[in-house]
Amino acid sequence: APQVNVNQKPREFRAYRWIPPEEFDLDWLPEFKRDVYREVMRDFFQGMHDITMSIQWKGVMPATLTQFNADLSIDHGIMAEHGQWLIEHGCSAIVVHGSLGEGATLSFDEKVALQKTYVAALPDTPIIPGIAALSTREAVDLAKAAKDNGCRGLMVLPPYLYSSDWREMKAHMTA
């Protein structure tokens, strides 16, 4: 498994360069798929060249649970308070609207609003949104919105619910 130097000084970097694809731990994949996966990820990283962010990858970075009001709108006040509490109690970053649970059910606008809530409430804290969507276009738009909103990292995932072959995944990731 690749080693991460937690004492490394923070630096400006392309979000996809913190662990090169050649160093991914792919023991979970059948051996014949590992090179293809690395190729797909390498091409994806090349496609994300215009999204430069800065973060020091160390510490506890919890994925937060989205809180809702009775009318099923997001309770942004509670989200901001909870994020502040997490940081005050030692967390180093916040992962917002991840890939499981309610993150998959939020609209694009709700995800963007949640990013803005955390960035405003925690201006000195890295906010890392989960970039997962049904379509490649939405995933790319969400990643670009994250950068525009002041997020400092990305958790990029394959499309929801769609089992693709390697050529389709490569096209998705290179977009």
Side-chain angles (χ1 to χ4, degrees):
Q3 297 297 311
V4 177
N5 180 358
V6 295
N7 297 317
Q8 182 177 359
K9 293 179 182 176
R11 59 188 171 89
E12 187 73 13
F13 74 102
R14 298 193 185 280
Y16 53 82
R17 292 289 182 211
W18 70 285
I19 299 178
E22 294 77 25
E23 297 179 23
F24 286 174
D25 179 8
L26 299 178
D27 291 342
W28 56 274
L29 269 176
E31 193 165 331
F32 71 94
K33 290 186 176 184
R34 292 178 191 168
D35 289 337
V36 172
Y37 186 85
R38 282 190 181 95
E39 179 185 342
V40 167
M41 295 309 292
R42 191 175 302 107
D43 288 346
F44 170 73
F45 294 153
Q46 307 264 328
M48 295 293 282
H49 62 83
D50 63 331
I51 301 179
T52 302
M53 299 176 171
S54 178
I55 188 172
Q56 189 170 5
W57 296 95
K58 72 176 206 176
V60 176
M61 301 180 209
T64 57
L65 183 66
T66 307
Q67 301 296 312
F68 294 94
N69 294 307
D71 65 358
L72 299 182
S73 63
I74 296 173
D75 189 333
H76 290 276
I78 292 292
M79 297 304 296
E81 288 176 27
H82 185 238
Q84 290 166 341
W85 185 91
L86 288 168
I87 298 305
E88 288 168 5
H89 288 83
C91 295
S92 59
I94 301 292
V95 177
V96 61
H97 61 73
S99 63
L100 300 173
E102 76 288 348
T105 66
L106 298 175
S107 71
F108 180 89
D109 291 338
E110 287 173 320
K111 290 177 182 181
V112 168
L114 207 43
Q115 294 170 13
K116 290 178 179 178
T117 294
Y118 275 116
V119 170
L122 303 163
D124 298 323
T125 301
I127 305 302
I128 306 164
I131 304 301
L134 286 171
S135 73
T136 300
R137 175 175 288 169
E138 184 176 346
V140 170
D141 289 347
L142 192 56
K144 289 179 179 179
K147 179 186 179 195
D148 293 345
N149 292 333
C151 296
R152 297 188 3 214
L154 300 174
M155 180 179 72
V156 182
L157 301 152
Y160 294 136
L161 307 174
Y162 181 70
S163 178
S164 61
D165 65 23
W166 72 269
R167 290 177 299 275
E168 293 171 321
M169 184 58 64
K170 179 178 179 180
H172 173 80
M173 293 299 191
T174 56

